Amino acid sequence: MENIEHGYIDLHTHSTASDGSMSPTELVRHAIKAGLKGIALTDHDTIDGVRDALNEGVKNKFLVIPGVEISLDYKKELHMLGYFNKENYSEIGNMLHSLKESREQRNQKTVNKLNELGFKLTMEDVKERSKGSVIGRPHIARTMKEKGYIASADEAFSEYLAFGKVAFFKKEKLTPEQGIKEILKAGGTPVLAHPIFLQLSEQNMDNFLGELCAYGLKGIEAYYAENTSAYTKSMLKLANKHRLIITGGSDFHGTFKSKIKIGVGYGNLKVPYKVLEDLEYSLQQTQSQQTQS
């Protein structure tokens, strides 16, 4: 990865391969138009969009990093980002296939519950509105909106689909230890996604990071669209304490989360290009360890 002193990146984006509104190709073009210096494609539980994103990046001489966002089993929604080199990202594919099957079971439960609540929709309705191979809650929200049941996708989540709401269902997931080790085994760098959603005090986050580091955690998403400046500062301090690399991103989903803009989140996010130096080093270390083992 070349060193660009000035410029910003976005290491947390989604495409139609999971629950974003833009195809991988459109996403890369959108990032270029937005003036970014690079992105990581981190779709939920799938790498199906990575090849197209990489090809578009090569065509435009634009940096694209293969990635994934894996849902893990925890008392709150816990996600782990995995970042890979272009040569080895496909190694995580087999494990992700089993997660895809679990997601499909969860989607059907959600649709069934919504039917019980009086919303008339089917999985076929949802699939018609999904261009990707992985259907998620945003596609269900879009179906509800297009059928006139709600005013926006945000309303679908806040009233029905978000964690703790009436139509939310947990799906079978890996434990945090399993998720981290699967990413490492595939030659990737595991990074804790959006820690702010865990709603832990700084002390409890400190303890939790210690536990995750024992499993092999390599980084933390210290820059994130939902963070306050104080929270970002706290995560940077903990990253330094636990010797974790720092990443950051907007969690861009396109029109499915219309208020979040690529690269800048709600307007104040800035992820410096220089964070890639540590990520690149981490990936090199993982590959070196694999070669020696």
Side-chain angles (χ1 to χ4, degrees):
M1 301 174 188
E2 62 176 332
N3 181 26
I4 299 178
E5 292 184 1
H6 301 289
Y8 299 99
I9 56 174
D10 194 333
L11 299 182
H12 193 157
T13 69
H14 298 277
S15 76
T16 52
S18 67
D19 58 351
S21 66
M22 296 182 183
S23 71
T25 298
E26 290 169 337
L27 178 66
V28 172
R29 293 173 182 170
H30 183 66
I32 294 171
K33 187 176 181 180
L36 296 178
K37 300 300 182 183
I39 63 168
L41 179 60
T42 54
D43 280 316
H44 291 284
D45 302 332
T46 183
I47 52 171
D48 287 355
V50 170
R51 181 184 295 275
D52 285 348
L54 287 174
N55 289 342
E56 189 65 21
V58 170
K59 187 187 303 183
N60 291 278
K61 297 181 180 179
F62 180 78
L63 176 65
V64 175
I65 300 169
V68 69
E69 184 176 11
I70 301 174
S71 301
L72 301 177
D73 192 15
Y74 187 65
K75 55 188 176 183
K76 290 185 177 292
E77 282 198 277
L78 175 64
H79 293 173
M80 190 66 58
L81 293 161
Y83 297 103
F84 304 87
N85 288 315
K86 296 178 182 179
E87 299 77 19
N88 71 344
Y89 74 89
S90 61
E91 297 296 319
I92 198 80
N94 288 337
M95 185 275 291
L96 294 176
H97 180 71
S98 63
L99 294 182
K100 177 183 175 182
E101 293 178 345
S102 175
R103 180 182 287 271
E104 290 173 349
Q105 293 171 3
R106 193 268 294 266
N107 289 335
Q108 187 61 64
K109 288 182 180 179
T110 299
V111 168
N112 291 345
K113 183 62 178 180
L114 290 171
N115 277 305
E116 290 178 14
L117 296 172
F119 300 101
K120 295 182 179 179
L121 63 156
T122 66
M123 279 307 303
E124 286 67 31
D125 293 330
V126 177
K127 289 176 182 177
E128 287 176 4
R129 292 161 174 81
S130 169
K131 299 177 182 178
S133 60
V134 177
I135 297 172
R137 286 174 294 167
H139 302 115
I140 296 174
R142 181 178 179 182
T143 305
M144 295 171 70
K145 179 178 181 296
E146 292 187 2
K147 283 180 169 288
Y149 292 126
I150 53 169
S152 67
D154 289 341
E155 181 185 341
F157 275 88
S158 64
E159 296 296 326
Y160 304 101
L161 304 178
F163 180 85
K165 300 302 179 180
V166 66
F168 174 87
F169 292 92
K170 290 183 67 175
K171 62 180 182 294
E172 184 179 347
K173 303 175 184 176
L174 302 176
T175 65
E177 180 178 10
Q178 289 171 328
I180 289 170
K181 291 186 175 179
E182 287 287 349
I183 292 170
L184 290 170
K185 186 170 70 174
T189 290
V191 173
L192 178 63
H194 39 59
I196 193 168
F197 289 162
L198 296 176
Q199 298 179 326
L200 297 176
S201 67
E202 185 170 319
Q203 182 59 57
N204 287 337
M205 178 61 72
D206 187 2
N207 296 337
F208 188 49
L209 287 175
E211 176 185 343
L212 296 181
C213 286
Y215 302 145
L217 183 72
K218 299 298 182 184
I220 185 170
E221 191 175 40
Y223 299 108
Y224 186 67
E226 303 283 348
N227 286 9
T228 62
S229 58
Y231 191 82
T232 296
K233 184 177 180 180
S234 173
M235 292 305 101
L236 291 172
K237 182 175 74 172
L238 289 177
N240 182 62
K241 176 179 179 179
H242 292 277
R243 298 183 179 181
L244 293 168
I245 67 168
I246 295 161
T247 71
S250 65
D251 206 352
F252 180 73
H253 285 72
T255 57
F256 291 147
K257 292 186 179 180
S258 59
K259 295 180 181 179
I260 297 177
K261 308 302 180 184
I262 197 166
V264 298
Y266 293 106
N268 298 320
L269 179 70
K270 289 183 177 180
V271 184
Y273 192 97
K274 64 182 180 181
V275 305
L276 288 176
E277 294 175 4
D278 288 339
L279 176 57
E280 181 183 36
Y281 179 75
S282 178
L283 288 170
Q284 290 173 346
Q285 288 292 101
T286 300
Q287 281 195 321
S288 176
Q289 291 168 4
Q290 280 188 316
T291 302
Q292 293 173 7
S293 59

